[in-house]
Amino acid sequence: EVRILTALEGETTIRFEVSDNGSGMSDSVKAKLFSSFFSTKGAKGTGLGLLVTRKLIEEHHGSIDVVSNLNQGTTFIMKLSFKPKEDHA
């Protein structure tokens, strides 16, 4: 099961959460998660996906965090700032 949540935090930050009920991650996997060429997928992964994702989010002055425990699933939390649209009424 995958859940996606979006919410406003204050007036200029949007929070995205992507959660699953999978097998979760150990502390050692979490410590390497955003490293280049680290993958738990063996030959099927390049180990660049989360590294690139984090770089893109940070270049837009945002953040990405992960909460995960073995056998309890994982949640990625991304926060991005935005400029509210001005009212032209």
Side-chain angles (χ1 to χ4, degrees):
E1 175 180 308
V2 175
R3 291 181 332 178
I4 299 172
L5 172 94
T6 58
L8 288 176
E9 286 193 356
E11 294 185 20
T12 60
T13 302
I14 188 162
R15 176 184 179 116
F16 300 91
E17 290 188 14
V18 180
S19 302
D20 70 27
N21 62 345
S23 58
M25 291 180 259
S26 66
D27 288 340
S28 63
V29 169
K30 284 189 289 188
K32 299 174 190 172
L33 200 57
F34 296 102
S35 302
S36 56
F37 305 113
F38 175 75
S39 177
T40 59
K41 298 178 183 176
K44 293 181 181 180
T46 62
L48 294 174
L50 286 173
L51 177 72
V52 171
T53 299
R54 182 177 71 177
K55 180 151 178 61
L56 288 169
I57 289 171
E58 288 176 350
E59 284 181 1
H60 286 87
H61 309 289
S63 65
I64 182 169
D65 294 303
V66 63
V67 177
S68 184
N69 294 299
L70 282 175
N71 303 313
Q72 295 181 7
T74 299
T75 300
F76 283 91
I77 303 162
M78 293 141 294
K79 295 180 183 181
L80 292 169
S81 296
F82 67 94
K83 184 178 177 181
K85 190 174 181 179
E86 292 182 24
D87 219 2
H88 295 286

